[in-house]
């Protein structure tokens, strides 16, 4: 079962009308969840970095839960990110400790949806305003998922909103969040996402054995790449020989975006990948170190046990 850690960034959760409700419901609805209240743990902003990093390492899904403050996170949560997402932990040469973990932003917004519009009071959409946090997830190699957020979540007695209304919205928000967590951890999309991660981790090693790949390929798989069109498992082996003759082992595929949609009985998997690799002097790339954005489209099926099979694999340079 996947373990979920929720980082509560509200600076004073006891005074919250909505974030407190959301966390209470998440704790009830999810079976393996740890909620870390930063306001209780670090009232003086002295973050225990090692303890927080260990909590992240133990988790499969990381949720940041917070009220939207000045188009970003509250100061306590910002300091948590600054202190915990350190060099060679979340990024850097050896900073792969969070790679592949699922990442969800869950937050409450005081203003109405119509104010987050080019012609509205705040001019920018929520998706635009959270891009720095989205890029943080990408830099750490985490799988960024569609954020869960709700508008009109401020209650000011006799001035703005009714308590029953905002708490009802908080209950609905918690339901959406828990459903997203369950979808991420148990859905066919989750199984394919895990497979994509496994595929690239294996491929980056460029070992001579091909069974680790061919067992997931349909007998009539069609493989299309800048090197040409290859058919069947023998075709894949021919392509793989070309790849091994070009790229040195320990290359790196960073998956920046993954979109999985049902396609008849199969699934269409669209990937945005950044490839970083060293090449051999006697290859067509003449020993050049490359960093290339790549678009990939896979056609994948799942059997009754959830084991994937690739039927079509298309690669093109972005």
């Amino acid at each position: 079962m996947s373990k979920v850690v929720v980082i509560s960034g509200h600076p004073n959760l006891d005074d919250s009308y909505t974030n407190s409700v959301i966390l209470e419901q998440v704790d009830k609805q999810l079976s393996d969840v740890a909620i870390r209240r930063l306001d209780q743990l670090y009232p003086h902003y002295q973050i225990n970095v090692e303890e927080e990093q260990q909590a992240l390492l133990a988790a499969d899904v990381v949720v940041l839960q917070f009220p939207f403050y000045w188009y970003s996170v509250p100061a306590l949560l910002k300091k948590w990110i600054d202190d915990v997402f350190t060099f060679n932990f979340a990024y850097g040469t050896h900073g792969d400790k969070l790679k592949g973990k699922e990442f969800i932003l869950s937050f409450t917004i005081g203003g109405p949806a119509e104010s987050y519009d080019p012609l509205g009071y705040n001019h920018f959409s929520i998706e635009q305003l959270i891009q720095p946090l989205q890029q943080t997830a990408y830099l750490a190699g985490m799988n960024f998922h569609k954020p869960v957020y709700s508008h009109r979540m401020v209650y000011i007695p006799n001035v703005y909103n009714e308590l029953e209304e905002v708490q009802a919205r908080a209950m609905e928000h918690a339901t959406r969040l828990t459903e997203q967590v369950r979808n991420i951890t148990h859905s066919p999309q989750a199984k394919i996402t895990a497979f994509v991660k496994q595929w690239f981790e294996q491929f980056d090693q460029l070992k001579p054995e091909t069974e680790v790949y061919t067992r997931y390929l349909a007998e009539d798989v069609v493989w299309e790449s800048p090197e040409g069109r290859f058919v069947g498992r023998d075709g894949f082996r021919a392509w793989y020989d070309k790849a091994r003759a070009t790229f040195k082992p320990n290359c790196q595929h960073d998956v920046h975006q993954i979109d999985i949609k049902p396609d008849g009985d199969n699934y269409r998997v669209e990937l945005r990948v950044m490839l970083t690799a060293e090449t051999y002097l006697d290859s067509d790339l003449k020993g050049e170190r490359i960093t290339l954005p790549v678009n990939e489209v896979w056609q994948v099926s799942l059997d009754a046990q959830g084991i994937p099979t690739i039927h079509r694999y298309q690669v093109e340079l972005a």
Side-chain angles (χ1 to χ4, degrees):
M1 183 175 293
S2 298
K3 182 173 180 59
V4 181
V5 63
V6 180
I7 307 299
S8 168
H10 197 294
N12 189 357
L13 195 61
D14 290 338
D15 289 343
S16 167
Y17 295 111
T18 57
N19 277 252
S20 58
V21 173
I22 292 168
L23 290 171
E24 180 182 354
Q25 291 301 309
V26 167
D27 195 31
K28 288 180 179 178
Q29 295 179 34
L30 293 177
S31 59
D32 193 5
V33 60
I35 297 175
R36 301 187 64 78
R37 283 188 54 173
L38 299 186
D39 64 325
Q40 285 186 343
L41 291 168
Y42 310 113
H44 303 295
Y45 284 58
Q46 299 300 310
I47 309 294
N48 185 327
V49 174
E50 183 177 356
E51 185 174 313
E52 295 305 311
Q53 289 180 344
Q54 289 301 315
L56 294 179
L57 290 174
D60 302 300
V61 180
V62 178
V63 179
L64 302 189
Q65 175 65 50
F66 58 95
F68 205 48
Y69 276 19
W70 283 105
Y71 314 110
S72 186
V73 300
L76 179 57
L77 182 54
K78 180 61 168 67
K79 189 172 191 302
W80 180 90
I81 295 171
D82 291 344
D83 289 1
V84 175
F85 280 48
T86 55
F87 180 74
N88 278 345
F89 177 77
Y91 71 99
T93 307
H94 303 289
D96 59 353
K97 308 304 183 293
L98 301 178
K99 185 176 180 180
K101 294 185 183 295
E102 314 299 335
F103 185 78
I104 304 174
L105 298 175
S106 171
F107 52 99
T108 57
I109 304 165
E114 57 267 25
S115 68
Y116 290 89
D117 181 87
L119 299 180
Y121 181 78
N122 294 298
H123 301 296
F124 298 95
S125 70
I126 294 298
E127 285 71 19
Q128 289 172 312
L129 293 169
I130 64 169
Q131 284 179 349
L133 294 169
Q134 184 173 356
Q135 173 56 24
T136 298
Y138 289 160
L139 184 64
M142 306 175 82
N143 300 321
F144 181 84
H145 293 274
K146 183 178 180 180
V148 179
Y149 57 86
S150 299
H151 290 278
R152 298 182 185 273
M153 297 292 271
V154 169
Y155 167 59
I156 304 175
N158 302 315
V159 176
Y160 187 62
N161 287 324
E162 296 295 329
L163 179 59
E164 294 79 6
E165 293 177 353
V166 296
Q167 292 193 328
R169 285 195 280 270
M171 296 283 284
E172 189 271 338
H173 181 114
T175 298
R176 285 190 285 125
L177 176 57
T178 54
E179 285 178 352
Q180 180 161 348
V181 170
R182 291 192 182 107
N183 286 337
I184 289 171
T185 55
H186 296 92
S187 67
Q189 286 81 357
K191 294 174 182 177
I192 293 173
T193 298
F195 172 62
V196 169
K197 174 187 174 184
Q198 172 191 321
W199 178 273
F200 284 123
E201 285 180 349
Q202 185 65 46
F203 182 82
D204 285 344
Q205 300 176 45
L206 287 171
K207 293 182 177 180
E209 299 83 4
T210 60
E211 164 60 18
V212 292
Y213 310 108
T214 55
R215 61 182 174 178
Y216 297 114
L217 300 180
E219 291 186 8
D220 58 349
V221 63
V222 176
W223 193 280
E224 296 179 283
S225 71
E227 294 80 20
R229 186 173 187 270
F230 304 83
V231 179
R233 294 172 181 170
D234 285 341
F236 166 80
R237 294 185 183 98
W239 173 86
Y240 188 64
D241 286 343
K242 289 178 179 290
R244 293 190 66 246
T246 301
F247 303 116
K248 294 182 179 180
N250 300 315
C251 55
Q252 185 172 342
H253 287 78
D254 290 320
V255 180
H256 286 183
Q257 184 177 341
I258 179 169
D259 186 21
I260 304 170
K261 297 178 180 178
D263 183 14
D265 294 332
N266 299 329
Y267 294 88
R268 178 182 173 89
V269 183
E270 297 183 3
L271 304 172
R272 304 291 178 266
V273 182
M274 185 66 70
L275 168 62
T276 303
E278 303 280 353
T279 64
Y280 290 108
L281 284 172
D282 58 355
S283 71
D284 291 341
L285 294 174
K286 308 298 183 185
E288 178 184 358
R289 176 181 172 83
I290 64 165
T291 301
L292 292 175
V294 178
N295 295 332
E296 299 192 3
V297 179
W298 303 6
Q299 186 186 50
V300 178
S301 64
L302 295 175
D303 67 13
Q305 287 72 45
I307 298 174
T309 297
I310 299 175
H311 300 270
R312 193 175 190 89
Y313 196 118
Q314 298 172 280
V315 182
E316 63 179 27
L317 301 182

